[in-house]
Amino acid sequence: MGAGPLVLLPELAPAAGAVLGLLLGSWLPRGRQWVVRLVGVAACLAGVGATLASLDGVAHRAFEGSYAVDTATQAGRLIVLGGTLLVLLLSGDTVRSHPRETEFYALVLLGGAGTVVLAGTTDLLLLVAGYLLASVPLYALAGFSADAPGTEASLKYYLLGALLGITMIAGVTMLYGAGRSTEYAALARSLPAAPSALVAVGGVTVLAGLLFKIGAVPAHFWVPDVAEGASAPVAAFVTTVPKIGGLIATFRLAEGVLPAETASWPLLFAVLATASMTLGNLAALFQDEVRRLLAYSTISQVGYLLLAVVVAASSELAEPALLFYLLAYAVTNLGAFAVVAGFPHARRLAEYRGLARRRPTAAAVLVVCLLGLVGTPPTAVFLGKLEVFSAAVDGGYAWLAVVAVVNTVISLFYYLRWLVPVLAPAAAEDEPCPAGRWAAFVAVFAALLSLLVGGGGGVLLPLLDGPLLP
């Protein structure tokens, strides 16, 4: 079923908010640039409202079939816009009165808009456009603080993103040459009869760009450097929000576009999932810097999420499992980064010593989020992991579920390494810096939402099981 441009209001809202914010910010005095943040918050709320208003259970197409508004897109819109909203609130303590405060909010909104486009695209050219819109603003955000660590992180992020972006465009060219179209539905019909080598190379190179967006092995090198060098709100944004659009886009390609006749795509995704889980967890075991620990944690979480991609074409459980896990991961990871943002000078695990005595609320949030990332009930990630493991078994990849369970046990050690000093008695000189007001609010809200989503999984999961347009 076709639909007009108005069906894209959730995508247009953050983009319009960014433009309006830039225009408004050019007229506001520096002390009142926070008004632009309100514009960004209103844009995200408008996008969420437009998405909820369009939940009619019917899949739509827009722009001659190049964009799908189905269950995956609707879920992606809500998660991305909700995550962008939390990052805008989280940045209130860090960016307030910054000389380029307006530009910060505009870049966040544009990155969110590009990520939503990634989630809904069903055309390779629009996939490239979404990739660029979800990448270029983030390069600037990574170096926004303009100090040495931020500049280094931004440069590494940009160089790797540019390299894999060009690789992705080359892959799009090869698939177009093989299938004579860039639309997913047409490619699904034509690629099985095309030269296998050309399709295989084109598919792998397109996936290279998406692996960069989601921070999966082997395109993960930027993740720890950006998480450590950028400000905490930026680290929270780039390690959470782009993954949502990137994983949904990868799922669409795996589910109906990449033909089984050309290569064993599920086995390739299984190898990538195993490598991401194992490398992320083993690297995190030895991290003493909290942001690098969370960065390697996000790499391992991508490995678990890729389990749903592995069985995208063979299990009906895969789509709701992926969408629910993305929601659970987003709120839990943002909650953990919000605690880090609230204590910007506590960079090492030892500097969180005695937090439970001095800041019991922040400590409780950290316990909920870290145990949630492990997969401890009743948090949302626990149910998300359970769903993707079930989907992997249902799709014939029981061995991969076993690997994921072993990796989950390994991850428990480094999350507990952080919680031990948090729960330890505090010495007199261990008083941490005061927590920011907005960071504290986002941390508590995200932790409560993680518990609420975990408890309401029985209601949410059926809503995420809908048609996926090719």
Side-chain angles (χ1 to χ4, degrees):
M1 179 178 178
L6 289 181
V7 78
L8 300 180
L9 279 178
E11 285 78 7
L12 297 174
V19 175
L20 180 61
L22 283 175
L23 294 175
L24 185 61
S26 64
W27 293 95
L28 289 171
R30 180 174 297 179
R32 294 187 179 180
Q33 297 284 307
W34 55 268
V35 174
V36 180
R37 184 155 58 103
L38 295 182
V39 173
V41 170
C44 291
L45 290 175
V48 170
T51 303
L52 294 175
S54 63
L55 291 177
D56 55 5
V58 179
H60 303 275
R61 288 187 184 277
F63 296 125
E64 303 294 332
S66 62
Y67 197 80
V69 182
D70 51 19
T71 303
T73 304
Q74 298 284 35
R77 286 169 163 177
L78 292 174
I79 303 170
V80 170
L81 293 173
T84 304
L85 173 61
L86 290 181
V87 171
L88 288 175
L89 296 176
L90 178 63
S91 59
D93 302 318
T94 307
V95 190
R96 181 80 183 268
S97 300
H98 191 280
R100 297 186 301 280
E101 185 177 357
T102 291
E103 288 84 343
F104 180 91
Y105 301 137
L107 290 170
V108 170
L109 288 169
L110 290 174
T115 303
V116 176
V117 172
L118 273 180
T121 180
T122 54
D123 189 284
L124 291 176
L125 294 181
L126 194 56
L127 180 71
V128 173
Y131 173 89
L132 293 174
L133 186 55
S135 299
V136 176
L138 273 55
Y139 303 148
L141 282 174
F144 196 78
S145 55
D147 54 9
T151 303
E152 180 182 353
S154 179
L155 186 59
K156 289 181 178 177
Y157 194 21
Y158 166 73
L159 290 176
L160 190 58
L163 173 64
L164 294 177
I166 293 172
T167 304
M168 183 182 192
I169 293 172
V172 169
T173 304
M174 283 185 269
L175 289 183
Y176 173 73
R180 300 300 178 186
S181 176
T182 56
E183 187 184 347
Y184 286 3
L187 288 173
R189 293 190 297 270
S190 59
L191 287 184
S196 298
L198 181 60
V199 176
V201 174
V204 169
T205 47
V206 168
L207 291 175
L210 293 175
L211 293 176
F212 167 77
K213 288 311 302 172
I214 64 178
V217 173
H220 66 286
F221 296 104
W222 61 273
V223 181
D225 292 328
V226 172
E228 183 181 15
S231 65
V234 173
F237 188 74
V238 300
T239 60
T240 305
V241 174
K243 284 182 170 57
I244 300 162
L247 277 159
I248 293 176
T250 307
F251 188 89
R252 287 187 189 279
L253 289 172
E255 195 270 342
V257 179
L258 298 174
E261 294 83 352
T262 56
S264 181
W265 299 105
L267 181 59
L268 173 63
F269 286 120
V271 171
L272 294 172
T274 302
S276 297
M277 285 186 285
T278 307
L279 188 145
N281 283 325
L282 292 180
L285 281 176
F286 307 102
Q287 295 301 318
D288 190 47
E289 213 278 350
V290 293
R291 294 189 191 179
R292 293 188 73 86
L293 187 151
L294 284 177
Y296 283 110
S297 164
T298 67
I299 295 171
S300 69
Q301 295 290 332
V302 167
Y304 303 129
L305 286 158
L306 281 173
L307 263 68
V309 179
V310 172
V311 294
S314 57
S315 174
E316 294 182 353
L317 303 176
E319 183 189 351
L322 174 68
L323 299 177
F324 185 86
Y325 199 159
L326 284 172
L327 171 62
Y329 166 75
V331 297
T332 309
N333 198 55
L334 287 175
F337 268 105
V339 175
V340 173
F343 302 96
H345 300 294
R347 303 297 293 260
R348 302 285 172 184
L349 296 180
E351 293 175 277
Y352 282 80
R353 183 180 179 84
L355 188 68
R357 296 281 184 88
R358 301 184 186 279
R359 307 277 176 178
T361 303
V365 169
L366 202 55
V367 169
V368 169
C369 292
L370 294 184
L371 292 183
L373 291 172
V374 174
T376 306
T379 59
V381 173
F382 164 72
L383 188 54
K385 282 190 176 182
L386 195 62
E387 289 298 315
V388 295
F389 293 173
S390 300
V393 174
D394 183 62
Y397 279 81
W399 66 268
L400 188 56
V402 173
V403 171
V405 171
V406 171
N407 269 280
T408 299
V409 174
I410 294 173
S411 71
L412 180 63
F413 292 97
Y414 62 82
Y415 290 121
L416 288 180
R417 281 187 62 227
W418 193 349
L419 292 181
V420 167
V422 169
L423 302 175
E429 63 275 14
D430 289 337
E431 175 66 29
C433 61
R437 181 183 57 177
W438 286 107
F441 169 77
V442 172
V444 172
F445 180 80
L448 291 176
L449 192 58
S450 177
L451 295 173
L452 186 63
V453 172
V459 177
L460 288 173
L461 277 168
L463 300 177
L464 300 174
D465 189 10
L468 184 76
L469 291 178

